[in-house]
Amino acid sequence: MGNIIEAAIPLIFSGLAMSVVFQASLFNMGAEGIFFFSAAVISFIAIWAPLPHGIHQTTIIVAGALVGAIIMSIIGILKAKFGASELVSSLMMNNVLLGVGSYLMTKYLRDPMASQGSYPYAKTALFSSIVPGTRIHLGLIIALIVTGLVYVFIYRTKWGYEIRMVGQNKSFAEYSGINVVKVIMISHIVSGLISGMGGAVESIAMHKRFEWSMLPGFGFDGALIAMLANNNPLGVIFSSLFVAYLRTGADIVARLSDVPTELVTILQSLVILLISAERFLHSYKQRWIERGIGNE
Amino acid sequence: MNREKTFNIMRTFVSMIIAVIVAFIIIMIVSDDPIKSIRLFFIGHLLNLDIWEIS
């Protein structure tokens, strides 16, 4: 059970990041590259900054969030000011981030004594387990707090309302006086903050050194999770647990039997296909709604 | 909660159930010991397994 929860922690961050941009009807996949790049950048602080326990971890998380926000704001500017498709620019940005992150790794971070990975992080930078016998770490509490904050932001603030309005009908929102450029920028920055934080937390909690040589895949999982949760931050927790359940199950079955771990990729893709298919169960939907009106 | 929202939640659950059924079918097709594989896939995380011993 601990495996599922520890696997769900980065998925909660990525699901939240994606749900914020999806609420504004922006299909941005930048969380994928940001997870990787923020982990690379915070490695400098985690390895070399001589800070005390607590302050060191806080600095790392704040730095990761800032890195994410800066990168997402670039994608946001491209969308808001130049009309660039956020999907295309975020996918291209992922490649740029992978390249730059790999350069930082090879040039500055790589430990010549280790076969793969950076120098180990300082002990003061690491998260330890909060549940004995598992690897569940403080990131879980941070993820739950961030979920609550995102929920309040989306459903209880003016900016959140504007994001939802733009997501439901951009033209209507524009005519009713909402600054769409501002909304695009805010949703991108918030999404970047969350995904950058997720990359930092995952890195200092689970890896103890920077060891990713390719994009970790959390961004794409985040898209599925946000879709499953219908972009609701509270639903993200449950859909993250479901995806983590599938992933962990696939890992166990791949280790102990002859079923390949790619099984979970097939399942994830299938769920995305079904959920994104507007016409799936459409006739039942009509009947369901009509029956409700009839009962009233 | 309005009926459209309720329906969307149900639709999501149906998608998840279909995915789980597909997992079941794939495992049945590709595995030499499908019963063990299915058990591991669905409830392996809930069991206190020593994975090195079982293999």
Side-chain angles (χ1 to χ4, degrees):
Chain A
M1 196 63 194
N3 288 349
I4 299 174
I5 295 172
E6 75 194 32
I9 295 169
L11 299 177
I12 293 173
F13 282 106
S14 63
L16 288 173
M18 301 305 284
S19 67
V20 172
V21 279
F22 284 2
Q23 283 276 6
S25 266
L26 298 164
F27 205 85
N28 183 324
M29 301 299 290
E32 179 69 33
I34 290 173
F35 252 81
F36 175 84
F37 191 69
S38 69
V41 172
I42 63 98
S43 297
F44 286 93
I45 306 171
I47 295 167
W48 287 298
L51 294 168
H53 196 74
I55 294 173
H56 201 174
Q57 296 156 329
T58 312
T59 311
I60 286 168
I61 293 168
V62 171
L66 286 177
V67 168
I70 291 167
I71 294 165
M72 271 298 199
S73 63
I74 296 171
I75 301 170
I77 290 170
L78 289 172
K79 169 74 180 174
K81 293 287 182 192
F82 302 105
S85 159
E86 73 281 5
L87 176 62
V88 174
S89 49
S90 60
L91 288 173
M92 293 303 105
M93 185 62 86
N94 286 347
N95 282 334
V96 173
L97 296 175
L98 175 62
V100 178
S102 302
Y103 170 76
L104 293 177
M105 173 68 177
T106 0
K107 181 80 177 171
Y108 302 106
L109 296 169
R110 187 181 296 285
D111 181 1
M113 304 299 285
S115 60
Q116 190 186 2
S118 71
Y119 293 102
Y121 294 161
K123 282 201 170 64
T124 49
L126 301 176
F127 275 161
S128 52
S129 164
I130 55 170
V131 180
T134 69
R135 292 196 300 168
I136 298 170
H137 51 82
L138 198 63
L140 175 65
I141 293 163
I142 297 172
L144 295 177
I145 291 170
V146 172
T147 305
L149 291 175
V150 172
Y151 182 85
V152 170
F153 174 73
I154 293 288
Y155 293 106
R156 297 281 184 270
T157 66
K158 183 172 164 272
W159 283 355
Y161 174 75
E162 289 179 349
I163 288 174
R164 285 186 288 131
M165 284 298 291
V166 169
Q168 281 170 18
N169 192 329
K170 189 177 164 189
S171 303
F172 178 79
E174 203 161 13
Y175 290 132
S176 54
I178 291 174
N179 185 343
V180 174
V181 171
K182 188 183 86 178
V183 168
I184 292 172
M185 287 307 298
I186 290 171
S187 53
H188 273 88
I189 289 170
V190 171
S191 175
L193 281 170
I194 300 166
S195 40
M197 197 184 289
V201 166
E202 179 67 5
S203 204
I204 59 173
M206 298 297 283
H207 295 280
K208 321 294 185 198
R209 62 172 74 206
F210 183 67
E211 49 190 13
W212 286 328
S213 55
M214 58 176 72
L215 297 177
F218 293 125
F220 297 118
D221 289 343
L224 164 67
I225 289 160
M227 282 180 183
L228 277 174
N230 205 16
N231 303 330
N232 184 317
L234 301 181
V236 163
I237 295 174
F238 299 103
S239 47
S240 300
L241 287 169
F242 173 70
V243 172
Y245 170 79
L246 289 182
R247 283 214 149 186
T248 320
D251 280 346
I252 292 172
V253 90
R255 281 186 194 181
L256 300 181
S257 75
D258 49 357
V259 179
T261 188
E262 283 76 18
L263 170 70
V264 77
T265 314
I266 298 172
L267 301 185
Q268 286 186 352
S269 311
L270 182 71
V271 174
I272 290 181
L273 278 175
L274 292 173
I275 290 175
S276 58
E278 283 286 321
R279 306 293 298 180
F280 176 58
L281 298 179
H282 187 72
S283 57
Y284 291 99
K285 182 179 181 178
Q286 287 302 328
R287 266 184 261 164
W288 173 265
I289 292 171
E290 281 164 15
R291 204 188 309 158
I293 293 168
N295 289 343
E296 285 164 13
Chain B
M1 194 186 303
N2 66 37
R3 287 182 77 82
E4 190 168 353
K5 262 189 182 169
T6 315
F7 183 84
N8 284 337
I9 292 170
M10 278 170 50
R11 203 175 72 134
T12 304
F13 273 110
V14 171
S15 306
M16 289 158 74
I17 290 165
I18 292 174
V20 169
I21 293 169
V22 170
F24 187 86
I25 295 168
I26 292 174
I27 292 173
M28 291 293 279
I29 294 169
V30 303
S31 179
D32 291 333
D33 186 357
I35 305 297
K36 178 188 164 198
S37 301
I38 286 167
R39 192 177 68 94
L40 288 171
F41 183 74
F42 289 111
I43 58 166
H45 358 45
L46 307 174
L47 304 173
N48 200 9
L49 294 171
D50 184 342
I51 56 175
W52 307 116
E53 255 181 33
I54 286 177
S55 60

